[in-house]
Amino acid sequence: MGVDEKAVEQVREFALQEKHHGEVTEAIINKYAPKENDNNSNKPVYVCKVCGFEYVGDLDKEPDDYKCPICAMPKTAFEKKIL
Ligand SMILES: [Zn+2]
């Protein structure tokens, strides 16, 4: 055999580890990314005009004294974002 079998074996093992790593990464992405996408496609987004904070969801459901968590501006400082 002209091929260095040990080197081939190492490459194969490395490839398997990489494949496993890819599967783990994909599982993590599937766990978090789809939810994120659902939120963005189904829920409205409000942007604070002062600091740019993005509130995802229905801002109308927040109490009237809701304040931006970043700059403490009232709800009136938020503008609905057109997606
Ligand atoms: Zn703000």
Side-chain angles (χ1 to χ4, degrees):
M1 292 267 274
V3 182
D4 185 343
E5 284 189 42
K6 199 169 183 195
V8 171
E9 194 56 44
Q10 281 176 347
V11 169
R12 189 175 290 141
E13 192 143 311
F14 180 73
L16 278 174
Q17 284 171 1
E18 280 301 290
K19 188 172 178 282
H20 177 67
H21 183 233
E23 283 167 359
V24 170
T25 306
E26 202 178 312
I28 293 169
I29 291 170
N30 285 339
K31 191 176 177 185
Y32 295 104
K35 278 187 183 172
E36 200 73 27
N37 287 342
D38 284 350
N39 282 348
N40 289 340
S41 58
N42 297 333
K43 290 182 181 176
V45 176
Y46 294 85
V47 183
C48 175
K49 284 185 279 187
V50 176
C51 72
F53 169 78
E54 290 191 354
Y55 178 95
V56 179
D58 195 349
L59 192 66
D60 292 336
K61 285 179 182 167
E62 294 291 343
D64 284 341
D65 61 353
Y66 174 81
K67 287 180 173 62
C68 173
I70 307 294
C71 67
M73 290 300 282
K75 268 175 26 168
T76 50
F78 282 81
E79 203 167 50
K80 194 171 183 181
K81 188 178 179 182
I82 310 299
L83 295 172

